Amino acid sequence: MRPASAAAADVAPAQTAPAQRNQLATLRSLLPYLWQYKLRVILALSLLVAAKLANVAVPLVLKDIVDQLGPEQQALVLPVTLILGYGALRLASSVLGEMRDAVFAKVTQGAIRKIALQVFEHLHRLSLRFHLERQTGGMSRDIDRGTKGIAFLLNFTLFNILPTLVEIGLVAAILLGKYHWTFAAVTFGTIVLYIGFTLGVTEWRMHFRREMNDLDSKANTRAIDSLINYETVKYFGNERWEAERYDRSLAKWESAAVKNQVSLSFLNAGQASIIALGVTALVWMAADGVVQGTMTLGDLVLVNAFLLQLYAPLNFLGFVYREIKNSLADMEKMFGLLNRNAEVTDAPNAQVLDLAPAQVAFKGVSFAYDPERPILHDINFSIPAGHTVAVVGASGAGKSTLSRLLYRFYDVQSGRIEINGVPLPALQQDCLRAQIGIVPQDTVLFNDTIFYNIAYGKPGASRDEVIEAAKSAHIYDFIMGLPAGFDTTVGERGLKLSGGEKQRVAIARTILKNPPILIFDEATSALDSQTEKAIQAELKAISANRTTLIVAHRLSTIADADEILVMQGGQIIERGTHRDLLAAQGQYARMWALQQSEEQT
């Protein structure tokens, strides 16, 4: 959902010095990926030089052909050898260039693949905080532009800028050696003027491209966010409001795009004027030499051929330089993602342990997502191996934060969490999370089949294992009633399924994982009463002999827990069994009475 680019906020022009540092850092970041293919790079550069030598030799042979066919030579036969040599050189120039591209293709595509994979893996290593704050649409556009920028940068830097510079040097040396020094002087002067103009104007207009990139990412984020929330838009009839928001973004992008095009036209016109002046001056000098008798007709053809051969890539060099600058700008944000430090990392000596059976302990845990808004205050409780502890309380009491901390999505600010006496930071994250299974309140599924989503709990699971998990979660009959059965696609975020159906898929997925620690975060909140009773019996069966933490709203579902914690304002205000808490006539007893009265009405 975007035009060629799109819009959403004004961005201040980047300062030159920081931009230069960022571009150099981006180039340095790219070099290790290229050096993995150093033999291919060396071979491609060798083919590049050979192709340019053949290309520069073409006008020299053409000069000899013209001179031999001139009226003063009175040629009686065709210069066959020269003509064949001319054709062979042109063929060699093209073939060597194609061979160079073929050899280097593995370098380009291999580098893109490795960088894209590294970015993908790094994004999964970043903390939950980053992913809660990210803008998915804009981030995807940054990665897409960055990978395309790599391909452009590699191909055009090595195969356009470098060969053009080689060719300029060869042509200038030939002109200086064969003709009056003024030919080389005019050639160099034109090149210097052209490059100076190109660099100056390109640097001036680069901020338009940066602005367009930011506007593109932000507008794409708005469009994707609106489409993901399609039902919400429809519920409130806000299609026009969404269109107007998107159009305001596009209006800002339009303004930046117009400025970009006007500045580009100015640059192109200036480049064309410089080249026209240089070509006219050199042809004038060559033609005057022919008239004066100091140069042959072949010399005129040679100079003209060199000019066409030189200024065509030089003109292209201006475009390439602009696009390379654009590519560097595109790549900056992608490499910036790689520079984001993971908030939660493994210690150098982190252990891999078998945590079954598992005993969980929260010891003096305090935590805040934002330092100005504490969530948990001095939380102390333990879950003996094979026992079940339930946590209840009003929304915002900090119940779900306990599961996030146990998964180590965040590190606690004070206190510590232990499993079998080992603090979480002393365990490798992969090891820790492999020991925990969760059925979250808000289940999000992959846009794939039901089979894939259940099997995600244990990649590589057999079909029989997936079927057994579905039966345990009481969703097998529903699945078999669908036309495509287990091969039914659930849609983006599982939107083709109801809340209860998604919840049961999540339960089946966790059953299949078969971990020693279970977390049920309002696991049956989306189920009807009949299904909930059936599922509760199954959850009780699978949690037997497992260490289980239940976050619940309906107190009837956790009445048989070994211990119940009542939380309020990030603190544990009551604890005990269901019977003990009712006898205490405190907050839990009031919550129980309220829910019982609601169920009876």
Side-chain angles (χ1 to χ4, degrees):
M1 285 298 300
R2 60 182 182 86
S5 293
D10 292 326
V11 178
Q15 294 179 355
T16 302
Q20 291 291 348
R21 286 196 295 271
N22 289 341
Q23 290 162 12
L24 290 174
T26 300
L27 289 173
R28 283 195 299 270
S29 300
L30 193 57
L31 291 178
Y33 299 96
L34 297 183
W35 200 239
Q36 296 180 35
Y37 304 95
K38 51 182 174 291
L39 294 179
R40 283 182 174 268
V41 172
I42 292 170
L43 178 57
L45 291 175
S46 301
L47 291 170
L48 180 154
V49 173
K52 281 305 169 187
L53 288 172
N55 200 40
V56 169
V58 168
L60 294 172
V61 176
L62 182 60
K63 163 187 158 45
D64 291 339
I65 292 173
V66 171
D67 285 341
Q68 288 199 22
L69 292 175
E72 66 279 3
Q73 300 295 328
Q74 297 181 350
L76 299 177
V77 295
L78 289 173
V80 176
T81 302
L82 289 173
I83 292 174
L84 291 176
Y86 175 83
L89 287 170
R90 293 192 67 88
L91 178 63
S93 177
S94 298
V95 171
L96 289 171
E98 293 301 326
M99 290 174 61
R100 173 204 68 194
D101 291 345
V103 168
F104 201 72
K106 176 68 174 177
V107 180
T108 303
Q109 303 308 323
I112 290 174
R113 174 189 171 189
K114 286 181 170 61
I115 292 172
L117 177 61
Q118 187 175 354
V119 171
F120 180 78
E121 291 176 337
H122 186 70
L123 289 175
H124 278 289
R125 284 194 294 269
L126 292 178
S127 67
L128 179 61
R129 191 189 309 276
F130 169 83
H131 288 280
L132 292 176
E133 295 173 352
R134 77 183 182 200
Q135 294 179 316
T136 304
M139 187 174 68
S140 68
R141 291 292 299 125
D142 292 338
I143 296 172
D144 180 53
R145 284 197 307 263
T147 52
K148 290 179 179 177
I150 291 170
F152 189 94
L153 183 69
L154 293 181
N155 286 319
F156 283 86
T157 300
L158 290 176
F159 299 150
N160 288 94
I161 289 185
L162 182 59
T164 299
L165 295 176
V166 169
E167 192 166 6
I168 288 172
L170 291 173
V171 168
I174 292 171
L175 290 177
L176 189 61
K178 292 181 66 71
Y179 306 112
H180 194 270
W181 63 268
T182 53
F183 282 86
V186 171
T187 301
F188 271 123
T190 304
I191 292 170
V192 169
L193 183 59
Y194 180 92
I195 291 177
F197 178 79
T198 300
L199 295 182
V201 176
T202 301
E203 287 296 334
W204 162 69
R205 60 182 298 274
M206 269 306 296
H207 74 275
F208 295 125
R209 175 67 178 219
R210 293 176 187 274
E211 182 179 5
M212 289 173 63
N213 283 355
D214 284 331
L215 298 177
D216 180 27
S217 297
K218 292 176 182 178
N220 200 55
T221 294
R222 284 191 175 179
I224 289 178
D225 191 45
S226 179
L227 291 175
I228 287 176
N229 292 283
Y230 169 84
E231 291 182 74
T232 303
V233 174
K234 289 293 184 181
Y235 288 152
F236 293 93
N238 280 341
E239 295 91 340
R240 174 48 49 193
W241 166 254
E242 291 294 327
E244 288 174 353
R245 288 180 72 228
Y246 188 52
D247 188 51
R248 286 195 295 271
S249 296
L250 297 183
K252 294 177 182 178
W253 166 80
E254 179 185 13
S255 175
V258 169
K259 294 175 184 176
N260 183 67
Q261 184 57 52
V262 170
S263 62
L264 176 61
S265 298
F266 171 72
L267 178 59
N268 289 337
Q271 291 172 333
S273 300
I274 293 170
I275 289 176
L277 289 173
V279 170
T280 301
L282 286 171
V283 171
W284 181 285
M285 291 162 58
D288 184 62
V290 173
V291 172
Q292 298 296 328
T294 59
M295 297 176 67
T296 65
L297 189 60
D299 290 322
L300 176 61
V301 172
L302 173 67
V303 171
N304 188 63
F306 269 152
L307 293 176
L308 294 177
Q309 197 164 286
L310 182 61
Y311 285 132
L314 185 60
N315 185 43
F316 192 59
L317 179 63
F319 161 76
V320 171
Y321 176 75
R322 294 194 304 270
E323 291 305 311
I324 285 176
K325 295 286 288 185
N326 294 341
S327 296
L328 287 169
D330 292 340
M331 291 163 58
E332 279 176 21
K333 285 194 173 181
M334 187 183 72
F335 279 108
L337 290 172
L338 287 174
N339 292 331
R340 289 288 295 263
N341 293 323
E343 184 177 334
V344 178
T345 58
D346 285 336
N349 58 346
Q351 306 173 51
V352 178
L353 298 176
D354 181 2
L355 302 176
Q359 176 177 336
V360 176
F362 281 68
K363 296 184 176 181
V365 171
S366 296
F367 175 76
Y369 297 105
D370 183 337
E372 297 181 0
R373 185 172 170 262
I375 301 296
L376 300 179
H377 307 272
D378 194 26
I379 299 296
N380 290 277
F381 70 91
S382 63
I383 313 176
H387 285 60
T388 297
V389 169
V391 182
V392 300
S395 297
K399 306 185 300 295
S400 294
T401 299
L402 297 175
S403 63
R404 289 180 171 182
L405 293 177
L406 185 56
Y407 257 102
R408 207 181 165 215
F409 288 155
Y410 301 92
D411 281 329
V412 299
Q413 274 89 40
S414 64
R416 63 183 187 173
I417 304 172
E418 297 177 349
I419 299 180
N420 292 346
V422 180
L424 296 193
L427 294 170
Q428 288 189 9
Q429 294 177 69
D430 290 345
C431 165
L432 168 67
R433 291 165 189 158
Q435 312 293 321
I436 306 174
I438 186 169
V439 180
Q441 179 179 6
D442 182 19
T443 298
V444 177
L445 303 180
F446 293 95
N447 189 5
D448 210 304
T449 64
I450 292 177
F451 181 91
Y452 175 87
N453 277 282
I454 294 177
Y456 199 78
K458 182 183 176 182
S462 68
R463 193 169 187 87
D464 288 341
E465 289 177 300
V466 172
I467 289 173
E468 284 303 312
K471 289 179 178 178
S472 297
H474 293 266
I475 195 175
Y476 178 77
D477 292 338
F478 163 75
I479 295 172
M480 297 311 295
L482 298 171
F486 278 91
D487 295 324
T488 301
T489 301
V490 302
E492 189 167 1
R493 299 174 64 84
L495 291 178
K496 289 184 180 180
L497 302 182
S498 70
E501 290 157 0
K502 288 195 296 182
Q503 205 83 343
R504 281 182 282 170
V505 169
I507 292 170
R509 185 163 59 190
T510 302
I511 292 172
L512 184 62
K513 185 177 181 181
N514 194 27
I517 302 173
L518 289 172
I519 300 174
F520 299 131
D521 189 353
E522 304 279 8
T524 59
S525 60
L527 303 179
D528 58 80
S529 298
Q530 182 178 355
T531 304
E532 181 185 35
K533 289 180 180 179
I535 291 293
Q536 280 297 329
E538 190 59 44
L539 292 181
K540 184 176 180 180
I542 67 172
S543 62
N545 301 320
R546 287 185 172 85
T547 306
T548 306
L549 175 65
I550 301 176
V551 176
H553 171 69
R554 279 181 264 189
L555 305 185
S556 59
T557 63
I558 47 94
D560 56 354
D562 296 302
E563 185 178 32
I564 298 172
L565 308 177
V566 182
M567 292 190 67
Q568 181 176 302
Q571 296 177 309
I572 298 174
I573 60 172
E574 293 180 338
R575 66 174 72 208
T577 64
H578 173 69
R579 185 184 300 273
D580 293 339
L581 291 173
L582 288 181
Q585 292 295 305
Q587 179 67 20
Y588 182 85
R590 287 191 290 274
M591 293 168 61
W592 175 265
L594 179 61
Q595 289 191 12
Q596 291 298 306
S597 64
E598 288 176 349
E599 290 178 3
Q600 292 172 4
T601 57

